[in-house]
Amino acid sequence: MPEPVTTVETEAESSGGTSSRLLDRIRLALLLVGVLCVLSGLLPRAEAAANMRRIGPLLLFLGSVIVLAQLARRAQVFDVIAHRLAIAGRGRYPALFVLCVGFAALTTTVLNLDTTAVLLTPVMLALAGPARIPPLPLAMTTLWLANTASLLLPVSNLTNLLAADRIGLDATGFAARMWLPQLIALAATMAALWLWYWRRGRRGTDRYVAPPPIRFEDRRGRTLFLTTGGACALLIVAIPFVGDRIGLAATAAAVLAVAGFVILDRDALRLSLIPWQLLIFVVGLFLVIPTLGRYGLSDLMHTLIGTDPGALGAFRAAGAGLGLSNIVNNLPAYTAGEAVIPAAHRTPLLALLIGTNAGAIITPWASLATLLCLEFCRSHAVRVPPLRFVCTGFALAVVATAGAVAGLLITG
């Protein structure tokens, strides 16, 4: 089996370079602060325990799906699909644009936005060289769609899982409310990508070179590809039926992929496959944010969001989520907003979710997915102009969020 590019694999496992080592320290510090909040009594132990019980199934899903995705990357599932898409485009940029958008949106929707950031971004950037495709349009496609395509299903984003749990919606019910907001956000993203990054005046070339397909040299590589790809497909098929047991379904799919690697490529199985950095970040947040909420943050969010359960409350919640996400990060922004919105007010809560998902694309730290995508761009020497990034991100965030909230009001 052809080996994945070593530098890409190393970056994916460590989340890349010096910036990620700093992020790891921040995550550990956040967890330590959270533990101290509990030990000091600033956060009652009963409340802390309730928070941990709530996020336990979510952590199981998140850890399992990242392990599954990394093994799929090792088995070259994403590489094969990316090369086939480029071949299907036959050198025509409009066709490649639609195919890449579809691939990134589907990956985000069914395998989580962090999968798109950690695994699809380096695959796309690695494709740019042999196909002679300018890398910036590919990078911005995965970066934006990792966020704006994460509205449709609970599994698409950790914040979605939290919201679905809070208001008691299964995957089908959640999708019934969010299908139109997702379509509107995707349409806005496609228009912005083509206008600012993909059109002829931006990319600089008329056609690209279709790369050769990836071929496996032996039966082992082909078997790993089929086994791991099959595990991903089974998880996708299971999503509408498993309800709140999605963590167990993801674990079963990951176990199937691991079993294949135990037999055929045991060297690929390492503890670093488990995304401990992300898991402790989530645990730390769910100790620190509730503590801050008890000492002023909840009052601030209540002032920003208000109490209107209708259209005004929805737009205020979305605006608060968008703004706070780009100041701090979308996960703490969502948890802070959720704490002041009653569970019965479904529309403002889902609007907050839209703001923290589709709106977290203006600053580099607005979401973990954005941070990871930009780190891969740095490691592949792809320059993302800062002013252009912020200005285009601001325009898309406002349009996509406002449009998606309007769509939410229609589906409500």
Side-chain angles (χ1 to χ4, degrees), residues 317-378:
L322 185 157
L324 191 58
S325 293
N326 287 285
I327 295 172
V328 285
N329 181 268
N330 66 336
L331 187 53
Y334 172 78
T335 54
E338 181 198 65
V340 301
I341 299 177
H345 293 184
R346 286 187 172 186
T347 298
L349 189 64
L350 292 174
L352 171 71
L353 191 67
I354 290 171
T356 56
N357 288 5
I361 55 174
I362 302 172
T363 58
W365 55 83
S367 74
L368 179 62
T370 300
L371 276 170
L372 292 172
C373 287
L374 289 174
E375 179 58 29
F376 283 121
C377 289
R378 186 201 60 79

Side-chain angles (χ1 to χ4, degrees), residues 9 25 92-93 100 105 111-112 115 157 168 195 233 251 273 288 299 336 366 400:
E9 182 179 279
R25 296 189 185 99
R92 300 189 299 269
Y93 273 101
C100 286
L111 288 178
N112 189 270
T115 298
N157 199 326
L195 176 64
T251 301
L273 289 172
V288 172
D299 292 336

Side-chain angles (χ1 to χ4, degrees), residues 184-256:
I184 293 171
L186 279 178
T189 304
M190 290 181 70
L193 282 169
W194 185 262
L195 176 64
W196 290 315
Y197 292 98
W198 276 85
R199 63 186 171 90
R200 175 64 177 82
R202 291 295 187 181
R203 65 177 185 261
T205 58
D206 289 318
R207 295 180 65 85
Y208 67 91
V209 178
I214 293 177
R215 301 188 185 280
F216 297 98
E217 296 176 354
D218 53 34
R219 183 176 296 177
R220 184 189 71 159
R222 191 177 303 108
T223 303
L224 277 175
F225 170 79
L226 293 173
T227 302
T228 311
C232 293
L234 286 175
L235 175 60
I236 294 169
V237 171
I239 288 173
F241 306 103
V242 296
D244 59 3
R245 295 183 177 85
I246 186 63
L248 297 177
T251 301
V255 168
L256 177 60

Side-chain angles (χ1 to χ4, degrees), residues 152-154 164-165 167-176 239-240 242-244 346:
L152 183 62
L153 295 175
D165 175 69
I167 59 181
L169 287 177
D170 59 13
T172 304
F174 192 90
I239 288 173
V242 296
D244 59 3
R346 286 187 172 186

